Amino acid sequence: MIDNEPPELPRGIALAWGVAANPQRGPKREMSVERIVDAAVELADAEGIGAVSMAAVASALGFTPMSLYRYVSAKDDLLLLMQEQATGLPPESHREREGWRPKLLALYAEQVLLYQRHPWILSLPITGSPITPNSSAWLDASLAALEETPLSAEERMAVALAVTGDARWCGIVQAGYTEQSRGTGLSADEVAVRESELYDRVITVDEFPALRRAIDDGVFTSPADPFRFGVDRLLDGVAAYIEALAGGASHEVSDEWIALDPVELAGDRRLKEAQKAVREAEKALRAAHKIERQALREARERQAKSRSAR
């Protein structure tokens, strides 16, 4: 007999949806899942995700760690609920924009701001599709923005994920600069200048010609937003694709995922040894190319000196 019963919701997800059973008994009524999560988010915002532990949260609330476990039975559940609360609902203002593109750009900007307010969210692993209410609301908003387009369901999801991914990548980089500023006391602009100076010391035109030209052109200290440029060009492509569909063109979403060979996932020892040998050979090749470039540069310098001496 086939069991068609749906899987039971993990407790963390059930708590997020408000369908988890309440503890039968516990400390004073002042304690609740909401208060626990509030305290944990406040701690993470102030000191980073590394400061969050059941003991630290209990201390902030004036209770013992064991009393917290009656409400949130595992730290992973607490992290899930923290992310859910910090994420919040997408702002209603994006619905006031006209057209799918302005709506998506508004959601993109709000997601970047969300990561700036709560950079610790970026440290949490992605373990699958968003199943909690607030995370689902953000995805729903992106899909709704594309609903009037001729894109298929798979294509709408692909665009929504691409914009969300761009916002997350922007958030990761900006959070890194913010952390640098906090640790060094430098402003974001000063951090960028220092970074450019460090690149300037190690990047040579012989070894990294394109990167060297970019440094000389001032890309690391430019006020331009490379992330917004990227998301704008992404949406340019989507707009062109939608226009082509309106003109009668047809396309198929690729079903070819980039994935490791199952043999690699199995951790075969001989394969790992062979891959290590390849990496070492590549490293040796890069070193040999560096020596070659150095020798070529010195030969050119000698030749130039010889010509000038004549």
Side-chain angles (χ1 to χ4, degrees), residues 150-293:
L151 296 174
S152 67
E154 292 88 351
E155 290 165 343
R156 290 195 293 273
M157 180 64 76
V159 174
L161 292 176
V163 173
T164 297
D166 277 359
R168 187 177 182 87
W169 173 228
C170 179
I172 288 172
V173 175
Q174 291 199 6
Y177 277 94
T178 300
E179 188 60 31
Q180 279 284 315
S181 296
R182 182 184 300 174
T184 62
L186 301 174
S187 68
D189 288 341
E190 290 170 334
V191 170
V193 169
R194 189 182 71 166
E195 185 178 67
S196 181
E197 290 171 346
L198 291 174
Y199 268 113
D200 197 49
R201 292 183 59 184
V202 297
I203 302 301
T204 64
V205 69
D206 291 327
E207 193 167 6
F208 306 101
L211 180 55
R212 180 68 256 178
R213 286 191 291 272
I215 294 168
D216 292 340
D217 287 338
V219 295
F220 289 103
T221 55
S222 169
D225 182 353
F227 302 101
R228 178 55 189 265
F229 177 87
V231 78
D232 277 336
R233 300 297 75 74
L234 165 70
L235 297 181
D236 283 348
V238 174
Y241 181 72
I242 289 174
E243 186 177 349
L245 289 178
S250 61
H251 299 275
E252 292 183 2
V253 177
S254 174
D255 59 0
E256 295 183 8
W257 286 71
I258 300 172
L260 285 174
D261 188 292
V263 174
E264 289 196 60
L265 292 173
D268 182 83
R269 182 178 60 81
R270 290 182 63 187
L271 176 61
K272 286 185 175 296
E273 290 174 352
Q275 290 173 332
K276 182 179 179 181
V278 169
R279 290 194 298 271
E280 291 174 349
E282 290 172 341
K283 183 178 179 180
L285 181 61
R286 288 195 298 271
H289 280 314
K290 186 174 182 178
I291 293 170
E292 179 187 34
R293 287 189 294 268

Side-chain angles (χ1 to χ4, degrees), residues 25-49:
R25 56 192 178 88
K28 300 175 183 178
R29 284 185 295 177
E30 291 86 357
M31 176 70 81
S32 67
V33 172
E34 290 76 15
R35 282 202 65 202
I36 293 170
V37 176
D38 284 343
V41 168
E42 185 175 338
L43 190 60
D45 286 344
E47 302 180 37
I49 197 66

